[in-house]
Amino acid sequence: MALPIMAKATAVWLVDNTTLTFKQIADFCGLHDLEVQGIADGDVAAGVKGFDPIANNQLTQEEIDKGIADKRYKLKLKHNAAAVGEEKRRGPRYTPLSKRQDRPASILWLVKFHPELSDGQVSKLVGTTKPTINAIRERTHWNIQNIQPIDPVALGLCKQSELDSAVQKANAKRAKEGAVMTDDERRKLVSTEQSLGAPEEPALPTAIAGLESFTLSDNSAESDGEEELLVDADSLFNLPDGDDQPDVEDDK
């Protein structure tokens, strides 16, 4: 439910100028019944000047009359067409001074675990600027060696619902572009350009390089679906035939 501006000052004015119940005033101003009673007793909001909701286009006299006639009636805030959409936050989020030092860690976490998020989405989630995001993404930030990735939700920089919504929007955009990929696949797979540009695999160690010159026989045997390569022993050891062996004389 939308609340009037300067709610407590509005409650002070309604207590002083109407016969509405404490419950009606509390519901309209977003306060507790006992807090409104404290205003009436002078224990709460002492010295606060009343804020006229009628003069400030937040409430009509007809609405007040309805509430006075029916004690169960709930006052309704006057619709202001000029204020439509003003409650929507625009631009980067404001980050308290005490938490601004935690922003690089949260940016690194988002860049590492949610690369599908755009710089604009990261900027809105943690309240930072695009140059800072690019510096961390490209690892050119002046303190990049000391930054550890930390979940921005754990740091209190954004809500889990806001993070989930941003990730869903980013994935929906990727789905339209036909580039959807799971996180595990995204970390494991590389692009075709990266694969073609990768250096050649190193040669085999010299200790086993000579095995490449071995001559394998063309004969093969299949056993239980597995192929066995047979090595020709004669080609390896080049043993002479028995007839060509010289006679060995007995020393005796």
Side-chain angles (χ1 to χ4, degrees):
M1 178 181 178
L3 300 176
I5 61 175
M6 300 181 65
K8 188 168 291 186
T10 300
V12 171
W13 189 93
L14 292 174
V15 168
D16 294 339
N17 297 276
T18 67
T19 58
L20 295 170
T21 64
F22 295 156
K23 175 66 173 175
Q24 288 174 309
I25 297 175
D27 291 341
F28 179 73
C29 298
L31 304 175
H32 194 275
D33 301 0
L34 296 178
E35 191 172 3
V36 177
Q37 184 178 352
I39 292 175
D41 295 338
D43 299 331
V44 179
V48 176
K49 184 179 180 180
F51 186 75
D52 188 352
I54 299 176
N56 291 280
N57 201 29
Q58 297 187 96
L59 195 62
T60 61
Q61 185 62 49
E62 292 77 9
E63 193 73 9
I64 294 177
D65 294 339
K66 289 180 182 180
I68 294 175
D70 184 3
K71 301 302 180 182
R72 295 175 297 178
Y73 181 78
K74 292 185 178 181
L75 301 178
K76 297 179 181 179
L77 188 67
K78 184 179 179 180
H79 176 71
N80 186 1
V84 174
E86 288 298 321
E87 67 279 0
K88 184 178 180 180
R89 178 175 53 83
R90 300 177 183 274
R93 176 192 304 275
Y94 171 77
T95 305
L97 293 175
S98 60
K99 294 184 179 181
R100 291 185 183 181
Q101 61 183 1
D102 297 331
R103 284 187 297 190
S106 63
I107 295 172
L108 182 59
W109 189 92
L110 292 173
V111 169
K112 180 177 181 180
F113 295 103
H114 291 287
E116 70 274 10
L117 294 176
S118 65
D119 290 351
Q121 289 177 308
V122 175
S123 176
K124 290 182 179 180
L125 285 173
V126 300
T128 186
T129 59
K130 291 184 179 180
T132 303
I133 299 173
N134 290 332
I136 294 178
R137 190 188 299 275
E138 298 173 1
R139 303 191 68 82
T140 58
H141 191 273
W142 66 273
N143 195 31
I144 191 64
Q145 300 298 332
N146 299 321
I147 300 176
Q148 297 296 329
I150 303 178
D151 190 344
V153 177
L155 293 174
L157 295 175
C158 67
K159 298 179 181 179
Q160 185 65 49
S161 58
E162 294 174 338
L163 176 58
D164 294 342
S165 177
V167 171
Q168 290 175 2
K169 290 180 180 179
N171 289 332
K173 183 178 180 181
R174 289 177 61 85
K176 292 181 180 179
E177 297 174 353
V180 176
M181 185 181 297
T182 63
D183 292 339
D184 291 337
E185 292 174 341
R186 187 182 296 107
R187 286 192 291 266
K188 293 178 181 178
L189 298 182
V190 295
S191 63
T192 304
E193 293 77 9
Q194 292 174 336
S195 177
L196 295 177
E200 296 183 358
E201 295 183 0
L204 294 174
T206 56
I208 60 174
L211 294 179
E212 295 178 346
S213 61
F214 285 171
T215 303
L216 301 180
S217 66
D218 296 336
N219 299 328
S220 62
E222 295 184 0
S223 176
D224 297 334
E226 296 183 357
E227 296 183 356
E228 297 181 357
L229 297 178
L230 301 179
V231 180
D232 188 358
D234 293 339
S235 64
L236 292 177
F237 300 101
N238 199 17
L239 297 177
D241 295 336
D243 298 338
D244 297 338
Q245 295 180 0
D247 295 334
V248 178
E249 296 181 357
D250 191 357
D251 296 337
K252 293 181 179 181

